[in-house]
Amino acid sequence: MTDKPNHLPERLALLADLNAAQYLTEGLLTGKEDVPGIALNKITDPLPYAVESRAELEPVRDLVDDAMHGFRDGKPTAADAWLAPRLHATLRLSRREAADRGFWNYMALGVAPDYVVWRHLSEPKKDGELPKIAATRFRGPSYTQAFARLWWAAELFRNGSDYAPVATVCTHQDMLNTALRLDVIDHRPTAQAMVRLIERGTVRTGREINALAAAINASAATLMYDVVAPDAERDGRPLRAWIEAAESAPAVPRRALPEGPDEERVPERSVCALVDHFAELFADAPVRGKPTPDEGTVDQT
C-alpha cells in the first residue's frame, strides 16, 4: 500500500488538472505504487496566500496522520465525521479558494495519497480483480474528491460556528454521496432541516436518505425554499476575521469539535418550517426496497 510521502515541502500548493492526470497510474489506483513526490512538486504552483500560516503543510499532514491512526482498527468510513470539521477548521479557506480544483489535487497527490488509498481502496473482488480506487478520489468534482467532499460537507452543513451537524451528516455516507450533489443544499435552512430529520430518527437508512434527498430536490422545482424559510442575511466579516485569525490559531482539538467562523446561526423558525414540510414529503416518498401501502395490502376479493 502507498506509504507516507517522503520529503514533503513546507507549503501547500496547487496542482493543475492536466498535471495531476499523469500521476493517476494503475499502480497508484491499486495502492501498489507511491506518487513520486519530488517530481510532482516541480510542477506545482504556489498558493496566492503562500506566505500565510494557513498555507503550512505540516498541520494538515498531522491531522491526516491522526485520522488514520485513530481509526486504524475500524472502518475507514468512520474517519469522515472526525476529519471533516477539523480539516475545514485547519485550512480556513474561503469558498472561492475551495473552488480551485488544483488545491484538492495537491492535497490528494502531494500531501496525503496514502490517506486516499487507506480511505477509498475498494474491497477485494470475488473474481480476483484487484481492489482499486476511483480516479475521481484523487482528481474529481467536489462531491467525490477525497478531501474536497469533506471540506464542502463541513462548509454546507455547519450551523454558524457549530460543526455538530457536520459530524451527523458524515456518519451517513449517503448524505455525502447524494445530498452533497444537490444545489438546494446551499440553502442553509434546507441543509439543517435534513440534519434534524436524521437526528430525530425520521430518516435512518441510506435508502431513506436518498429518497428524502430526491423528494426535496423535486419539490424545489415548485416551492422556493428561500421564500418560505428565509436564511439570515450573510455577513462576510466573521469569515474574514476567522481566516485572518489563522495566523495565531492553535492546532484544532482532537477530542472536542473545533469552532468555525462566528457567523449567525440558521434561523430556527425556518428550520422548523422545512422539517415539517420535508417530513410530509418523506412520508409519501418511494423508498427503494420498501413496499408501498398498496403493495402491503392483501387482496381479500
Side-chain angles (χ1 to χ4, degrees):
M1 182 176 287
T2 298
D3 295 323
K4 178 179 177 177
N6 295 319
H7 309 296
L8 288 171
E10 294 183 358
R11 298 279 162 176
L12 299 170
L14 300 174
L15 180 64
D17 267 349
L18 199 59
N19 290 331
Q22 65 183 289
Y23 293 100
L24 300 179
T25 63
E26 187 70 13
L28 176 65
L29 297 181
T30 54
K32 302 298 183 183
E33 295 179 1
D34 296 331
V35 175
I38 294 176
L40 180 144
N41 279 291
K42 289 180 179 179
I43 56 173
T44 60
D45 296 310
L47 291 170
Y49 52 92
V51 298
E52 299 179 26
S53 62
R54 65 194 177 106
E56 294 176 359
L57 187 148
E58 185 177 1
V60 182
R61 181 65 225 190
D62 288 347
L63 191 65
V64 171
D65 285 338
D66 288 347
M68 291 191 290
H69 177 77
F71 295 89
R72 66 190 183 281
D73 296 328
K75 290 186 176 182
T77 53
D80 289 350
W82 185 89
L83 184 55
R86 291 168 178 83
L87 180 71
H88 187 275
T90 297
L91 293 174
R92 299 204 180 202
L93 302 172
S94 68
R95 288 194 179 189
R96 176 175 292 182
E97 290 165 343
D100 190 336
R101 284 171 53 123
F103 179 84
W104 303 114
N105 291 341
Y106 187 73
M107 278 287 297
L109 289 164
V111 178
D114 54 329
Y115 167 84
V116 182
V117 172
W118 173 80
R119 170 61 184 84
H120 292 289
L121 189 67
S122 63
E123 294 293 328
K125 307 291 185 180
K126 292 183 179 179
D127 58 6
E129 183 181 346
L130 285 176
K132 198 170 184 178
I133 308 147
T136 53
R137 298 300 187 184
F138 288 99
R139 186 194 70 150
S142 60
Y143 50 80
T144 301
Q145 204 271 355
F147 292 105
R149 68 198 286 267
L150 298 179
W151 189 94
W152 281 104
E155 174 66 11
L156 294 172
F157 286 99
R158 65 183 173 87
N159 192 354
S161 64
D162 183 11
Y163 284 116
V166 179
T168 297
V169 164
C170 291
T171 58
H172 298 272
Q173 289 301 305
D174 287 274
M175 285 294 288
L176 292 171
N177 296 336
T178 302
L180 203 58
R181 299 170 182 254
L182 305 179
D183 290 340
V184 72
I185 291 300
D186 195 40
H187 180 238
R188 295 198 307 159
T190 295
Q192 293 306 312
M194 288 193 73
V195 173
R196 194 74 55 85
L197 288 172
I198 293 173
E199 292 173 341
R200 290 182 177 180
T202 304
V203 180
R204 294 184 175 87
T205 68
R207 289 181 177 183
E208 290 177 345
I209 287 172
N210 290 334
L212 174 64
I216 289 173
N217 198 47
S219 176
T222 56
L223 182 64
M224 298 180 66
Y225 294 150
D226 56 343
V227 174
V228 299
D231 194 359
E233 186 174 346
R234 302 298 293 272
D235 182 352
R237 288 174 294 182
L239 176 62
R240 290 194 295 271
W242 185 68
I243 290 174
E244 291 170 0
E247 295 302 310
S248 58
V252 297
R254 269 34 178 184
R255 294 183 181 274
L257 284 173
E259 291 189 4
D262 190 22
E263 294 177 329
E264 189 168 350
R265 292 175 63 88
V266 180
E268 183 64 18
R269 180 179 299 180
S270 294
V271 177
C272 290
L274 288 182
V275 165
D276 292 341
H277 177 62
F278 292 165
E280 292 177 3
L281 290 178
F282 177 67
D284 296 328
V287 178
R288 189 165 64 90
K290 180 179 178 181
T292 64
D294 288 342
E295 292 172 336
T297 300
V298 177
D299 188 354
Q300 300 294 334
T301 60

